[in-house]
Amino acid sequence: MLPMNTIKRIFTYLGLSLLVVFVGACSLSKTQTYHTAHAETDSNIVIALSGEIKENKIIIDAVMMKNDGINGLTVELSYNNNVMTLSNINKGSALSSLDFLTTNTDTDKGYSILPFKINWSGDENDKSTGKLFSMEFLAKDNKEDGVYPITLITERGKSATYIDGKDTKTRNVLVGGVQVEIKGNVLQPNVEKIPNPDIDNENNNIVLLVSLISGGVVLIIGGAVLTFILLRRKGKKTWTKVK
């Protein structure tokens, strides 16, 4: 039978280890950030939007996140033209092998013409990803307070095409969105992403659970080592050498 002092040390060891794990797990759940890729869907094309505010200008990037290969793509810009107006489009590096075309801007309305569409077309499939284009908007004067979305409209089954042998087929397209907020006729500093669980599953409980378990293992090991060291140091004050 183990001596009473040894049993007390074992229970103290286990108790301190569990305490370290509990405190560490609470801290982990509050401070750790988990990033997950977009959810797998039936779609073969995924486009995400992000942006920033620079004084009275709204800059939005459209990024191709997933691309199984297309030779044609058409998207239509959707925004509230009573609050802002499109002032410029800058082509990105994605789909660079395809021809890039937008709605005619050589009119009195320029980029503010509606509807405004962007098109890519070519004879071969392009599988590139990355920035498709950047959009620049100018906020208008006397803007009403509110939250205003900026998105891209696609037509299911028609927006994206690809070449399969001698046939031209279609791919589905998923597009994310962002929104800007106006308070007191002033653009707020952050461009918020509109949640879309099909594109960006930020509340992936499986990833969170795995992360917590992994963190818990580390904490258990760390707690065990820490507790062992503390008990060993404490024991050095009472242990005596056996003669």
Side-chain angles (χ1 to χ4, degrees), residues 37-194:
H38 61 266
E40 291 294 330
T41 68
D42 292 335
S43 295
N44 304 111
I45 303 297
V46 177
I47 302 173
L49 300 186
S50 63
E52 60 179 335
I53 303 295
K54 291 186 176 180
E55 296 180 350
N56 204 41
K57 184 181 293 186
I58 307 163
I59 302 174
I60 306 296
D61 290 336
V63 179
M64 179 75 81
M65 302 294 294
K66 181 183 177 185
N67 179 10
D68 289 340
I70 54 176
N71 76 316
L73 175 65
T74 300
V75 296
E76 180 181 330
L77 181 56
S78 175
Y79 68 98
N80 190 322
N81 65 330
N82 293 319
V83 175
M84 66 191 83
T85 183
L86 182 67
S87 60
N88 197 15
I89 290 278
N90 293 308
K91 181 178 179 293
S93 59
L95 303 183
S96 59
S97 70
L98 305 180
D99 294 330
F100 180 79
L101 182 67
T102 71
T103 296
N104 182 22
T105 58
D106 296 329
T107 68
D108 294 340
K109 292 187 176 181
Y111 286 91
S112 67
I113 189 171
L114 293 176
F116 193 92
K117 296 185 178 183
I118 304 171
N119 173 268
W120 294 261
S121 61
D123 297 326
E124 301 290 339
N125 293 332
D126 188 314
K127 293 186 177 182
S128 61
T129 57
K131 185 186 293 186
L132 283 168
F133 56 90
S134 290
M135 300 172 279
E136 295 182 6
F137 299 86
L138 292 177
K140 294 185 176 181
D141 296 332
N142 302 318
K143 303 172 290 294
E144 291 188 10
D145 287 1
V147 177
Y148 300 95
I150 301 172
T151 60
L152 299 176
I153 300 173
T154 60
E155 188 174 355
R156 185 174 178 83
K158 294 184 179 181
S159 292
T161 61
Y162 70 101
I163 298 173
D164 183 11
K166 295 182 179 180
D167 299 325
T168 298
K169 299 181 179 180
T170 61
R171 295 196 189 281
N172 293 328
V173 182
L174 280 180
V175 180
V178 293
Q179 58 191 19
V180 297
E181 184 177 6
I182 296 174
K183 288 184 179 180
N185 198 34
V186 177
L187 276 171
Q188 299 306 292
N190 297 320
V191 175
E192 301 292 340
K193 182 171 64 173
I194 298 174

